[in-house]
Amino acid sequence: MTTIEVAESLRQLQNNDFETFLGVSEVLLKYINNIILNPAEVKYRSIRLANKVFVSKILPVAGGIECLFAAGFEENDEYLTLPEGSRLDALFFLQRELARQRLMTLSNQVARVTTSQTSEHAFHRKLRSSSDHVHHYEDPLLQQKARDVIPYEDLNRKAATRLNSIEQEETDDRPLDQRDLLLLELMKWFKQRFFKWMDAPRCDVCSSATRSSGMVEPTAEERRWEAGNVEGYTCTQCNKRVRFPRYNHPGKLLETRSGRCGEWANCFTLCCRAVGFEARHVLDWTDHVWTEVYSTSQQRWFHCDPCENICDRPLLYEHGWQKKLSYVIAFSHEEVVDVTWRYTANPQEVISRRAECREEWLMGSIDRLNKEKRQRLSASRVETLDERVPRELAEFLSLKKLREGESQGRQSGSLGWRLTRGETTGAQAQGSSAAEIYTFEPTTEEQNTKSFHVKYCCASDTYVRVSSRDKVTEHWESCVHQHQNILRKEEFDWNMVYLAREEGSPQASISWRFDCSKTPLKIDHVTVAASSSVYHSGSVAWSLTDGKQSISLKGDSTRMTDFRGAQTLELRAELMGGEGDLAWQHTQLFRMKANELNKFPFEWEIAMTS
């Protein structure tokens, strides 16, 4: 079958009314995307002719079954089947054109765009500027400059160690590989060791806080490093004027190592390219920036936000930050892609907000940029990029399910700054965020040794399960049973890190739970070591309970036999009190220096008996 036949079938399909076209195109895309996302599953290549959806949505519609035949389906007794081994060019063409026509049809009906040439010219300037900017990342000298500061061998060694320790399901079609884990290590290093968040600069004379005094004119040197905007500040103590140039040149950012989301994503994308990752610089029209990195093992693009040290959680912004997304576009030296649909579970709502340009104009503008970029690529590279398009498009069009970690509000920046941007969750803004996540249960190895031992390092934000071959688990939340109004705070000025209450919260709590009730074992004795720091009138109350009795702890290393015979234990800390606007900071758990990576201020050991 040819694309000409597909195009003719599509014309028939488009002659139907608005509702009919949307209904049949949705079903057709579901058939197509199932095949693309599950190429080894034969069942997705067959459509039963008596299927209710097929009979009601496809069969009676002009162009419906014709599209399937044009894409290569054949009638085979009671089924339409796409023969194994058949070329999929026509199927891919049908997928792309259906998706485009659906978007334009929905936009005409929902958004009702009334745009001017002026707004589209401004949109195009933004596209062109971003498309040109990413060529910085391909500069061999800049890449070498980045490699000079990246501890690559150390990060790669950690990735190899982590690969050996993680438990991947045997049924996983595409297990993570060392490069995937290297990406996580790179992002963690970038967040914790290399780059710093800048709300407002400190005075460079007396190190006191500063207050904003408006924008100032960039100097020639600042313009040289692409600082189109320079923020002015005044020291609250000595009245010295301080400048904060918003540098846009990634080479300069390797030196300054500070900024907000634009600087973070800009510099991180260069670092990704420097170590050989395929990377895109992603621009969100509602004012955020991040990176996408291609995973060869997973055959798809990972969302990577270096500001938050979060990977592959694309619904974070819409669901967790409550952002009203409109346009999200990714740029690399090889292509420009409208990736908006990866980041939303509510495409029609997003379409209703896309009013800055016509969809057909945007598609054409991106196509022209890509045509320019591809002229510089080899034929084999163009073929590789083309082969990826159908799978990425299928991902865009698939139903999105919320995953762990996508509900949290923004963590980078001060609370006031985040609230101004509307990027906290409603729960965070009201000081009532809560979650229940995890319970420790003894592994087979721990049952054999009758011991459980876990420890946590706040500096590296990792748990080490000593009793299970030193298995490493990232992020403080991942092993917590319940938490309310808790965050991990990094003080870049003082090089300290700790868990604390969310800013503005009068109280908070966090707990860890152990349960061996699914085994014949029972608890013999328990040892807990948990540090906390309090200031002014702040207080931290530690307790341990088995559901029948509760014992208060001081947080120091304590060994006890009070729970002998129990099978469940919950260790809990409650944080409250403090004074003034910084009361939330007057109760801290596990405070430590950010470079103390081998120190563990929290340890929990349980000896069991049969």
Side-chain angles (χ1 to χ4, degrees):
M1 297 297 172
T2 66
T3 55
I4 296 176
E5 292 172 286
V6 173
E8 177 56 37
S9 301
L10 276 169
R11 277 191 287 273
Q12 294 181 50
L13 200 65
Q14 289 174 260
N15 286 332
N16 293 287
D17 63 74
F18 161 71
E19 293 291 347
T20 301
F21 171 75
L22 288 180
V24 68
S25 61
E26 182 179 13
V27 176
L28 288 171
L29 282 170
K30 185 176 180 181
Y31 291 153
I32 294 167
N33 293 337
N34 278 338
I35 294 170
I36 292 170
L37 292 174
N38 306 278
E41 294 284 347
V42 177
K43 65 180 181 181
Y44 291 119
R45 291 174 171 263
S46 296
I47 305 169
R48 192 163 57 88
L49 294 174
N51 178 273
K52 289 182 180 180
V53 174
F54 179 82
V55 171
S56 62
K57 293 286 185 76
I58 304 294
L59 203 55
V61 176
I65 197 168
E66 288 82 0
C67 280
L68 290 172
F69 283 137
F73 278 85
E74 299 174 356
E75 191 169 355
N76 183 9
D77 295 328
E78 298 177 0
Y79 293 87
L80 286 183
T81 60
L82 184 68
E84 291 188 65
S86 58
R87 289 181 59 86
L88 300 180
D89 303 39
L91 189 79
F92 296 158
F93 179 76
L94 176 60
Q95 179 206 35
R96 187 189 69 181
E97 293 305 310
L98 276 175
R100 288 184 170 220
Q101 290 301 324
R102 273 182 65 82
L103 178 54
M104 287 189 286
T105 301
L106 281 167
S107 179
N108 291 335
Q109 293 294 320
V110 179
R112 302 189 183 280
V113 177
T114 55
T115 188
S116 66
Q117 282 191 332
T118 302
S119 67
E120 288 186 343
H121 284 158
F123 200 105
H124 187 268
R125 284 196 299 272
K126 197 170 183 177
L127 285 176
R128 170 60 71 179
S129 174
S130 299
S131 178
D132 292 343
H133 173 80
V134 294
H135 289 283
H136 279 313
Y137 308 139
E138 307 311 308
D139 184 334
L141 294 178
L142 279 185
Q143 289 189 5
Q144 185 58 54
K145 186 175 181 179
R147 283 192 291 271
D148 287 343
V149 298
I150 297 170
Y152 180 82
E153 295 301 328
D154 182 50
L155 298 180
N156 202 39
R157 184 166 54 252
K158 288 179 179 178
T161 301
R162 189 171 174 185
L163 182 65
N164 292 331
S165 67
I166 62 175
E167 297 175 2
Q168 301 204 58
E169 297 291 336
E170 294 181 2
T171 56
D172 280 355
D173 293 331
R174 296 188 177 91
L176 296 173
D177 65 12
Q178 187 168 327
R179 291 287 290 176
D180 297 326
L181 300 180
L182 174 62
L183 172 62
L184 299 182
E185 293 295 338
L186 178 68
M187 189 159 56
K188 180 179 173 183
W189 163 81
F190 191 89
K191 163 79 171 176
Q192 296 183 359
R193 300 283 164 264
F194 188 69
F195 225 74
K196 294 183 179 180
W197 184 265
M198 177 70 76
D199 282 317
R202 288 273 174 178
C203 177
D204 50 17
V205 173
C206 67
S207 298
S208 298
T210 61
R211 60 177 178 272
S212 174
S213 56
M215 304 301 292
V216 296
E217 189 69 19
T219 65
E221 180 65 13
E222 289 166 343
R223 289 187 186 280
R224 178 186 166 217
W225 296 107
E226 301 177 14
N229 296 312
V230 179
E231 299 174 6
Y233 292 84
T234 303
C235 178
T236 57
Q237 297 300 315
C238 69
N239 287 324
K240 182 167 188 310
R241 295 183 180 274
V242 182
R243 302 170 70 88
F244 175 31
R246 302 299 305 276
Y247 292 118
N248 200 37
H249 194 292
K252 184 64 173 179
L253 295 175
L254 287 171
E255 300 171 7
T256 64
R257 303 185 184 188
S258 68
R260 303 195 192 115
C261 57
E263 290 91 342
W264 280 67
N266 194 356
C267 190
F268 181 70
T269 306
L270 170 62
C271 290
C272 288
R273 292 295 297 128
V275 297
F277 287 115
E278 293 182 52
R280 294 167 169 172
H281 189 243
V282 183
L283 186 60
D284 161 25
W285 256 241
T286 61
D287 195 23
H288 191 44
V289 195
W290 59 88
T291 306
E292 287 185 347
V293 174
Y294 190 76
S295 166
T296 304
S297 73
Q298 305 304 297
Q299 296 181 25
R300 61 184 179 87
W301 290 90
F302 281 174
H303 146 254
C304 299
D305 191 325
C307 299
E308 307 293 298
N309 190 22
I310 285 180
C311 180
D312 205 24
R313 294 294 181 268
L315 296 184
L316 171 73
Y317 310 114
E318 182 179 79
H319 188 76
W321 294 18
Q322 305 290 297
K323 288 177 77 73
K324 304 298 182 185
L325 299 174
S326 56
Y327 302 93
V328 181
I329 299 180
F331 301 86
S332 77
H333 71 292
E334 295 180 323
E335 59 186 349
V336 179
V337 183
D338 183 354
V339 297
T340 308
W341 322 109
R342 190 189 330 277
Y343 297 94
T344 179
N346 302 294
Q348 290 203 30
E349 286 186 19
V350 171
I351 290 171
S352 71
R353 294 191 288 268
R354 286 165 67 100
E356 292 189 36
C357 64
R358 294 161 292 156
E359 292 294 344
E360 188 173 7
W361 175 89
L362 177 57
M363 292 176 192
S365 297
I366 290 176
D367 285 346
R368 285 188 289 276
L369 287 171
N370 283 332
K371 186 176 180 180
E372 291 177 21
K373 289 176 178 289
R374 289 185 171 213
Q375 288 176 353
R376 297 187 284 265
L377 304 179
S378 67
S380 61
R381 184 58 183 167
V382 170
E383 183 179 358
T384 296
L385 295 177
D386 282 342
E387 288 173 352
R388 292 177 182 174
V389 170
R391 184 174 182 85
E392 184 168 31
L393 184 53
E395 180 193 340
F396 291 165
L397 298 170
S398 62
L399 183 66
K400 306 295 193 304
K401 293 182 180 179
L402 198 65
R403 289 181 285 179
E404 182 182 319
E406 291 179 323
S407 298
Q408 72 176 45
R410 187 170 192 160
Q411 303 298 308
S412 53
S414 68
L415 179 62
W417 187 77
R418 286 178 277 140
L419 287 171
T420 300
R421 294 166 60 92
E423 292 172 349
T424 60
T425 61
Q428 280 182 312
Q430 298 163 20
S432 59
S433 63
E436 181 169 326
I437 303 173
Y438 188 80
T439 296
F440 288 109
E441 295 182 349
T443 63
T444 301
E445 187 174 13
E446 289 167 336
Q447 291 178 50
N448 291 336
T449 60
K450 298 180 181 179
S451 67
F452 165 78
H453 182 186
V454 67
K455 55 186 181 180
Y456 171 73
C457 174
C458 202
S460 62
D461 196 20
T462 55
Y463 291 89
V464 177
R465 196 156 173 172
V466 180
S467 51
S468 188
R469 301 187 184 183
D470 290 332
K471 178 184 175 182
V472 175
T473 304
E474 302 281 345
H475 306 307
W476 67 271
E477 288 179 284
S478 58
C479 293
V480 169
H481 179 57
Q482 291 182 325
H483 65 88
Q484 184 173 23
N485 304 334
I486 290 282
L487 57 73
R488 180 175 174 272
K489 175 68 175 176
E490 295 180 63
E491 292 182 347
F492 293 114
D493 292 346
W494 303 104
N495 195 36
M496 301 299 289
V497 62
Y498 49 86
L499 300 188
R501 287 154 31 202
E502 291 177 350
E503 297 171 51
S505 299
Q507 60 185 24
S509 63
I510 184 171
S511 70
W512 297 262
R513 190 169 189 269
F514 174 81
D515 186 346
C516 62
S517 61
K518 295 178 183 178
T519 76
L521 300 176
K522 294 183 180 181
I523 294 167
D524 183 69
H525 61 267
V526 182
T527 303
V528 177
S531 68
S532 52
S533 304
V534 296
Y535 306 91
H536 302 291
S537 59
S539 68
V540 174
W542 287 95
S543 63
L544 192 61
T545 180
D546 62 359
K548 297 178 181 178
Q549 64 171 329
S550 181
I551 295 178
S552 297
L553 305 176
K554 292 182 179 181
D556 300 325
S557 182
T558 305
R559 184 182 186 277
M560 63 192 74
T561 58
D562 303 73
F563 300 101
R564 183 170 287 163
Q567 289 191 299
T568 62
L569 277 180
E570 186 168 340
L571 177 62
R572 182 178 180 85
E574 296 186 5
L575 297 75
M576 63 192 74
E579 297 177 9
D581 293 338
L582 294 178
W584 63 274
Q585 214 168 5
H586 295 163
T587 52
Q588 304 175 8
L589 304 182
F590 318 140
R591 180 181 175 89
M592 61 191 304
K593 291 183 179 179
N595 58 2
E596 293 180 322
L597 301 180
N598 295 316
K599 186 176 179 180
F600 297 89
F602 172 55
E603 292 198 54
W604 194 12
E605 297 180 65
I606 299 175
M608 293 171 280
T609 184
S610 52

